[in-house]
Amino acid sequence: MSTIEQLQPTLVRQFSQIIGAGNLSAAYIFAGAAGTGKAALAQWLAMRLLCLAPKDGRPCGECAECRRVMSGNHPDVVWLNPDAKSIKVDDVRAMRQEMSKTGVEGNRRVFVIEGAERLTAGAENSLLKYYEEPVPGMTIILTTTAKNQLLPTIRSRAQVINFKTPPVSGVRDALVAKGADERLATIAASLTADPAAALALATDEQFAKRTAAVLQLVNQLSKKDATAFVAVQTTLLPLAKTLPEQTQTLALLGLAYADALNQHYHIQAPRAFGNDLAILALAEATSKQLATGLAAVLNASIRLSQNVTFQAAVEALVLQLLEG
Ligand SMILES: [Zn+2]
């Protein structure tokens, strides 16, 4: 049984039935949190469509076609996942050119755009042309963690499939069973529902350092200690060099503020950071400070995903949090 069949059994069963009945739509949006199996289901779907010997509505996972899809080298399965903050018109145009190539007649073809919230407005409009003139046998799948950032015209023309997030405790327990530190496992499981990705985080020394740096910053912020501003450059920047590391750092800070808000209101919700002293100190702030603080962290994440550098986004954020 493949991982996606364990992670999203209901969706796999539904798509197996949809494909079996020949009712696959031309456009889907796979929406859900990180690690919920969106890309894995897209790959499963491509394998199911192209597999030479499907069994019980499932791809065999062993034939030449299945293997080519799994290796990412199947000519009829095109992935668009540029390592960039935004997906631009040219990226979509290149993909549409690929789409217009006439494959073997009756060929099933699958196009996947990962992280579709990164599509620029121009790229989304370019994509709309595909929705207006779908090519028979072709399915396009957008995966996204933020479907509300997609144009309403894109959302309304595709079927939106919402991926459920498994409980943090389940992922954490699986990591602890594999020998991960419980504290780091809880934090990692709060960031991603993907057991493999969470395990990689929980056992990564850099992740442990980044977590410690964020908690130190939270401690300084709780005291309105102005050295927090200096810590951004001396401590945070060296630990967050790549965009994924920077995004993760802001996500950790967001978890800290969410934990502090829950502590402040005595809400019995699972805490990413448990009863860490820095969180307890931050929870002493007023509810207004904590709520605007959390909103400011989320806003900084959005700015980072646009054209603002990590240093500029975090320095502005820390100033705002110190003054608020
Ligand atoms: Zn197969």
Side-chain angles (χ1 to χ4, degrees), residues 273-290:
F273 294 101
N275 284 324
D276 192 281
L277 291 177
I279 303 293
L280 298 184
L282 184 63
E284 299 292 321
T286 67
S287 47
K288 184 165 176 278
Q289 282 172 327
L290 291 172

Side-chain angles (χ1 to χ4, degrees), residues 212-231:
V214 167
L215 286 172
Q216 192 198 331
L217 181 70
V218 167
N219 190 37
Q220 290 167 319
L221 289 170
S222 71
K223 296 178 195 149
K224 301 284 179 195
D225 178 350
T227 56
F229 187 78
V230 184

Side-chain angles (χ1 to χ4, degrees), residues 47 51-54 59-63 65-66:
M47 284 165 67
C51 178
L52 299 171
C60 73
E62 286 164 6
C63 71
E65 293 286 278
C66 280

Side-chain angles (χ1 to χ4, degrees), residues 80 82 85-89 91-92 113-116 118-120 123:
L80 182 58
K85 282 189 181 182
S86 58
I87 302 175
K88 300 194 169 69
V89 176
D91 299 319
V92 171
I113 301 181
E114 287 192 70
R118 294 176 298 161
L119 287 160
T120 62

Side-chain angles (χ1 to χ4, degrees), residues 15 79 89 120 148 154 163 167 190 194 207 219 225 228 236 254 269-271 295 311:
F15 272 102
W79 292 80
V89 176
T120 62
N148 293 335
I154 291 272
F163 282 56
S190 305
D194 178 348
F207 179 70
N219 190 37
D225 178 350
L236 234 42
R271 308 268 167 86
Q311 181 168 0

